Amino acid sequence: SAMAAEDFRSVLLRQLKLRTRKEDRPFSEIIRSHNKLCESFDSMNSKIRKLELDCTKLREENLELSRRGSGDGTASVADREKTFRLQEELTQLHRKKGENAEKIVEMTKEVKEKEERIRNLAVQLQEVRSEKKLVEIQADSFKQGLEDVEKANQVLKDEQQALQLTCSFQEDTLKKLRDDNRDLVERWMLQKAKDADSVNKKNEEEAK
């Protein structure tokens, strides 16, 4: 029936929507993760640029202090302490720069893996959507087929009803013809009996 077709179509579409949401969920999570990694990647690059500028500045300050120390032959304790501190900061900055560079390499690798995963999920998602569209078309075709079958069944039912009415009318007509025939036969038999009696009676009178 049309209701059964509609129920079948609704079940199919509901199952496909659930499957699409299921496929979309990891896809969305990976996109968010990818965006987060890209933001971290950009942040690391900014930090490295800042560290490089700081390193350059510290080198220049360290060079200036060295020139000042060698210029008059005597470097103040404060200058030597500042130079030592700047060298330590420079060493720390280089170490952080190296750590950040390693993190960027790792993050770049992870971003590429995520991008590959996104491409694979995009293909799967497209397949699911194509399958959903195909099932919708098949469901519509199935529904149309059921409607055509129902129309054909209705035509057959109408024809059957018309034949039953015709058959009933013919049965009534046949019954009436049989009744009329039986009545005619009875009347004919009665008339023949009367004729026979009349002939017998006439013959008896002539015999006298």
Side-chain angles (χ1 to χ4, degrees):
S1 65
M3 184 174 294
E6 187 65 26
D7 290 342
F8 172 74
R9 185 171 183 271
S10 298
V11 169
L12 283 178
L13 291 180
R14 185 165 59 251
Q15 290 177 347
L16 281 172
K17 286 178 181 178
L18 289 173
R19 181 177 172 184
T20 300
R21 281 198 294 270
K22 184 179 178 181
E23 292 290 341
D24 276 337
R25 191 176 300 113
F27 186 77
S28 301
E29 291 174 356
I30 286 180
I31 289 177
R32 284 194 295 270
S33 177
H34 175 265
N35 291 336
K36 186 177 179 181
L37 284 173
C38 289
E39 290 173 0
S40 299
F41 187 85
D42 293 338
S43 175
M44 283 291 181
N45 279 329
S46 298
K47 287 181 180 179
I48 284 180
R49 284 193 293 270
K50 184 177 182 302
L51 288 173
E52 288 174 344
L53 291 174
D54 291 342
C55 284
T56 302
K57 182 179 178 182
L58 287 172
R59 287 192 189 99
E60 292 174 353
E61 291 180 358
N62 191 21
L63 188 61
E64 178 63 24
L65 288 173
S66 296
R67 282 199 297 268
R68 287 170 56 190
S70 61
D72 54 12
T74 58
S76 66
V77 175
D79 287 341
R80 286 196 297 271
E81 289 179 351
K82 185 174 183 180
T83 299
F84 181 75
R85 178 175 56 79
L86 289 174
Q87 288 176 343
E88 284 188 337
E89 289 182 4
L90 185 59
T91 301
Q92 288 291 329
L93 288 174
H94 279 297
R95 184 179 60 80
K96 288 181 180 179
K97 181 179 177 180
E99 291 175 353
N100 288 342
E102 290 178 0
K103 289 181 179 178
I104 286 178
V105 171
E106 293 175 357
M107 289 174 64
T108 301
K109 181 180 178 182
E110 189 173 357
V111 166
K112 289 181 179 179
E113 291 175 352
K114 296 295 185 183
E115 287 176 343
E116 180 64 23
R117 176 62 176 161
I118 286 174
R119 283 193 292 270
N120 292 336
L121 282 176
V123 172
Q124 294 178 18
L125 187 60
Q126 184 59 40
E127 290 175 353
V128 169
R129 286 173 176 165
S130 298
E131 183 180 350
K132 175 184 176 183
K133 185 63 178 178
L134 178 61
V135 171
E136 286 176 346
I137 294 173
Q138 291 175 342
D140 290 337
S141 176
F142 178 73
K143 181 181 178 182
Q144 183 61 45
L146 282 180
E147 290 177 353
D148 293 341
V149 169
E150 288 179 349
K151 289 178 182 178
N153 284 339
Q154 187 59 47
V155 171
L156 290 175
K157 288 178 181 178
D158 293 342
E159 290 179 354
Q160 183 182 18
Q161 187 175 7
L163 288 173
Q164 287 177 342
L165 290 174
T166 300
C167 183
S168 178
F169 175 76
Q170 290 177 346
E171 287 178 350
D172 292 341
T173 301
L174 180 61
K175 183 176 181 299
K176 185 175 183 303
L177 287 174
R178 285 174 177 171
D179 291 341
D180 291 344
N181 184 62
R182 185 170 54 253
D183 183 61
L184 285 173
V185 169
E186 289 177 353
R187 289 167 59 189
W188 180 78
M189 292 291 292
L190 183 61
Q191 183 63 42
K192 292 293 289 182
K194 288 181 179 180
D195 291 343
D197 290 342
S198 176
V199 169
N200 290 334
K201 188 175 180 181
K202 184 176 179 181
N203 290 334
E204 289 176 358
E205 289 178 353
E206 289 178 351
K208 291 179 179 180

